[in-house]
Amino acid sequence: MKALLSIALLVAVTACSNIKGTLPSYVVYFDTDKYSLDSEARSTLSKVAEQIKAGSFGGGAPWKHDNCHTKVSLACESRGASLTVIGHTDTQGNEAYNQLLSQNRAETVSEALVKNGVEKSIIKASGRGESSPAVATGDNKKEAKNRRVEIFIY
């Protein structure tokens, strides 16, 4: 029985942790070649932090993720909040530089969340450079919607 419960919990965590194909909970945008936060981004991150500290997200239900099926949602909710913070760039500049820029953007957002009271241990930050554009463009093109950090809360 204990083994079955462990397997069910593993399946639940895997189901909740799969962000591929899901929409981000929040998106913060950046100016070209920058990873500093503007006032709108700071305001958004303050709201994110308040929701996390309050222990509810979306409709007042504690940590229920859209990808959690009914049978596994209890396991998803009981493990508390986790954040995945993913930085992106447009295709302006070279790939190596954009990878570093996207990582810096993700780290800037993570640091702002921590400064707003979010526990650092629940945040996983990474950069994807120009590899996952929101808007497809050719090489060396500026696109504001691609200069972003996506925040997934699950």
Side-chain angles (χ1 to χ4, degrees):
M1 180 68 165
K2 198 172 191 180
L4 289 176
L5 185 57
S6 294
I7 290 170
L9 185 57
L10 177 62
V11 170
V13 170
T14 302
C16 291
S17 297
N18 182 7
I19 62 170
K20 186 176 183 181
T22 63
L23 295 175
S25 303
Y26 290 92
V27 178
V28 176
Y29 295 97
F30 291 83
D31 290 331
T32 300
D33 201 31
K34 303 285 184 206
Y35 58 93
S36 56
L37 300 171
D38 63 16
S39 61
E40 184 178 346
R42 285 190 298 277
S43 175
T44 298
L45 295 175
S46 177
K47 290 174 188 173
V48 172
E50 288 305 314
Q51 285 187 331
I52 292 166
K53 290 187 295 186
S56 67
F57 178 74
W63 312 116
K64 187 168 183 182
H65 189 269
D66 292 339
N67 285 349
C68 295
H69 302 289
T70 305
K71 292 181 181 177
V72 297
S73 64
L74 179 60
C76 294
E77 292 171 9
S78 67
R79 67 187 182 103
S82 294
L83 279 78
T84 299
V85 177
I86 303 172
H88 301 274
T89 66
D90 57 21
T91 59
Q92 184 75 28
N94 70 53
E95 286 184 36
Y97 178 80
N98 284 337
Q99 178 59 42
L100 179 61
L101 179 58
S102 69
Q103 183 65 42
N104 286 339
R105 288 176 174 167
E107 289 173 8
T108 295
V109 167
S110 297
E111 289 168 6
L113 289 168
V114 170
K115 285 180 183 175
N116 278 289
V118 175
E119 181 63 41
K120 186 176 183 174
S121 65
I122 69 166
I123 303 172
K124 179 182 176 190
S126 64
R128 291 198 180 152
E130 59 186 61
S131 67
S132 300
V135 176
T137 65
D139 197 30
N140 248 353
K141 301 290 181 189
K142 293 181 179 182
E143 173 53 57
K145 290 182 180 177
N146 291 339
R147 297 187 304 267
R148 71 198 189 283
V149 168
E150 299 171 319
I151 304 165
F152 296 87
I153 303 174
Y154 52 96

